[in-house]
Amino acid sequence: MTEKTPAEWFYVLTAEWTFPDAAAPDGRGTVQGVLPGTLTRWEVMDRAYQKFRRSHRLAGEAVQLTVTLWSCEPNTMT
């Protein structure tokens, strides 16, 4: 069965991060937003992940992210 394409996706991504080499303090954070329904859930997840890294200034490969909450649902708040 094929899922109906929504007009928009609402997403939330919460994660904790650690730096194995202790180059920076560990932390946690959340991003959320709305993206077009033309994207797949995987594309929404990828964009949320990139936004999370930018928003929390987590550049480079030395950071380890552990996702603690991921939600991607059709946006009903329009």
Side-chain angles (χ1 to χ4, degrees), residues 15-19 24-29 52 56 58 63-66:
E16 299 174 351
W17 62 84
T18 58
F19 289 90
D26 298 345
R28 67 181 310 160
F52 185 90
H56 297 290
L58 301 173
V63 64
Q64 178 181 346
L65 290 177
T66 303

Side-chain angles (χ1 to χ4, degrees), residues 33 41 67-68:
R41 285 181 190 260
V67 174
T68 55

Side-chain angles (χ1 to χ4, degrees), residues 9-67:
W9 292 108
F10 174 75
Y11 67 87
V12 177
L13 172 69
T14 299
E16 299 174 351
W17 62 84
T18 58
F19 289 90
D21 59 2
D26 298 345
R28 67 181 310 160
T30 300
V31 292
Q32 65 183 30
V34 175
L35 288 170
T38 55
L39 300 173
T40 67
R41 285 181 190 260
W42 287 109
E43 290 169 320
V44 172
M45 183 168 59
D46 182 60
R47 290 188 185 195
Y49 172 77
Q50 297 302 326
K51 180 180 178 182
F52 185 90
R53 287 184 66 104
R54 282 192 315 272
S55 296
H56 297 290
R57 296 182 179 98
L58 301 173
E61 298 300 320
V63 64
Q64 178 181 346
L65 290 177
T66 303
V67 174

